[in-house]
Amino acid sequence: MPTAIAVTSSDLVLPPHDRQTPPAAVQPLEDLESSLTGMHALIEQHGYVIALYPSSAPGDVRRRLHAVRSVLESDRIAVLGLDLPPLGLALLAQQLRQLSVCDFSPGVLASSARLLAHYIYAGALLTSVAKLDRVPVSLRSHAKSWVPGAQFAVLATPRPQLVRVGQGDLTGPEFGTRMLVAPGQLPAEWLTGTLAPAWRVQGVATVPLPAESARWWGTGKIAEFAAGLHDVSVLYQLVSSVRREECHWCGLELIGDRCGFCAAPLSPLPAPSHGLPKAAARAASSVRALPRGAT
């Protein structure tokens, strides 16, 4: 069975692209006992579990996930907190679900979450930025948010950006993406009719707005969006092109500089006596952005 991917609520589970994409689980559940039972069943069935939660999640959600891992004394549970907005996190979970049926080890799959997050363009359309504290907001933008009818387009990741609709453009990806749009109390016409064509996305899908979005963006008057890679072959190529290492603590494979399961950092390599430093060689071989329109 493929490694299980878990998210903190059912509204972060996006529909699968195809029959091969496995479903996601929900963890934690309503109390510690049910969470323990559910997580134990996932480990028994899948072997390993990767549990994702947004950084905006309430403290009790984070504590319960770590408590479950501690009580079960399991090194087969990866608990990963990410700064992605809720819809971006849902997209990342979907990508990991797609990759879970490939030949990646659980360690590589878990540590690939940070890599894939850099290729997700997540943001929202807002009428006010007065309570937005996760993206830098200038005093001028704060003042403009009090003007009746004002709307702001905000990009949270991978590089924060804020513009007033009609007075600037959001910098989009330089590779082919599929966009998810989640209308809330704001209609999504600007996202589907202006932003999507400007970014030359390869498709748009409308999904329900996650409940956590209002907390993350500081307002309920939003329309959220997330654009990212959707072709499993491209996702596979991206992850497989990164050098694999072995975690010196738990022994699992990893990519990047930290193990997804035990959180141990990659051991520093000794400096070579001659030739190109290994750190420079590793940087030179890192993944580059895909060209615009690549599939």
Side-chain angles (χ1 to χ4, degrees):
M1 292 294 292
T3 298
I5 308 300
V7 290
T8 54
S9 62
S10 58
D11 57 12
L12 295 177
V13 181
L14 297 175
H17 281 309
D18 49 46
R19 293 182 179 180
Q20 285 69 44
T21 302
V26 175
Q27 276 287 342
L29 300 177
E30 59 274 7
D31 54 52
L32 181 58
E33 182 178 356
S34 59
S35 299
L36 288 169
T37 302
M39 187 69 80
H40 179 73
L42 287 175
I43 295 174
E44 288 293 308
Q45 182 178 2
H46 296 271
Y48 290 84
V49 180
I50 300 172
L52 308 176
Y53 69 88
S55 58
S56 62
D60 62 329
V61 170
R62 300 192 297 271
R63 288 190 294 269
R64 194 177 306 159
L65 280 172
H66 285 283
V68 167
R69 191 179 193 276
S70 178
V71 171
L72 292 178
E73 297 182 340
S74 176
D75 57 0
R76 297 188 174 193
I77 304 172
V79 179
L80 305 178
L82 297 150
D83 288 330
L84 288 169
L87 190 59
L89 183 72
L91 176 56
L92 175 62
Q94 185 182 60
Q95 292 175 338
L96 292 176
R97 289 159 56 196
Q98 290 177 272
L99 291 173
S100 69
V101 297
C102 300
D103 57 359
F104 293 124
S105 65
V108 168
L109 190 62
S111 54
S112 70
R114 294 175 62 194
L115 169 68
L116 296 175
H118 288 296
Y119 291 85
I120 291 178
Y121 283 67
L125 185 66
L126 313 175
T127 58
S128 173
V129 295
K131 295 183 179 180
L132 179 62
D133 59 2
R134 298 184 178 277
V135 176
V137 180
S138 66
L139 290 176
R140 177 176 295 182
S141 295
H142 270 296
K144 288 182 178 179
S145 68
W146 293 100
V147 177
Q151 289 190 347
F152 298 87
V154 186
L155 188 65
T157 61
R159 291 174 295 276
Q161 188 180 0
L162 187 153
V163 300
R164 186 172 177 181
V165 172
Q167 298 182 5
D169 300 314
L170 292 181
T171 302
E174 296 182 349
F175 50 89
T177 62
R178 179 174 180 264
M179 179 178 285
L180 301 174
V181 173
Q185 295 182 26
L186 283 183
E189 280 79 4
W190 184 84
L191 298 178
T192 57
T194 300
L195 185 64
W199 283 9
R200 290 187 276 180
V201 302
Q202 298 170 343
V204 178
T206 301
V207 296
L209 182 72
E212 185 64 24
S213 297
R215 187 204 310 272
W216 207 97
W217 294 104
T219 176
K221 296 182 178 180
I222 54 177
E224 195 172 6
F225 67 89
L229 300 168
H230 62 96
D231 189 320
V232 67
S233 64
V234 179
L235 292 167
Y236 182 90
Q237 180 183 7
L238 177 62
V239 174
S240 61
S241 64
V242 182
R243 177 177 175 175
R244 303 184 191 186
E245 308 280 357
E246 182 177 297
C247 178
H248 67 92
W249 184 258
C250 68
L252 290 176
E253 278 189 313
L254 62 90
I255 61 174
D257 59 1
R258 186 172 298 275
C259 178
F261 279 87
C262 70
L266 182 67
S267 296
L269 297 174
S273 57
H274 62 276
L276 183 66
K278 289 187 178 181
R282 183 181 300 162
S285 62
S286 61
V287 177
R288 300 175 59 187
L290 300 173
R292 181 184 291 274
T295 58

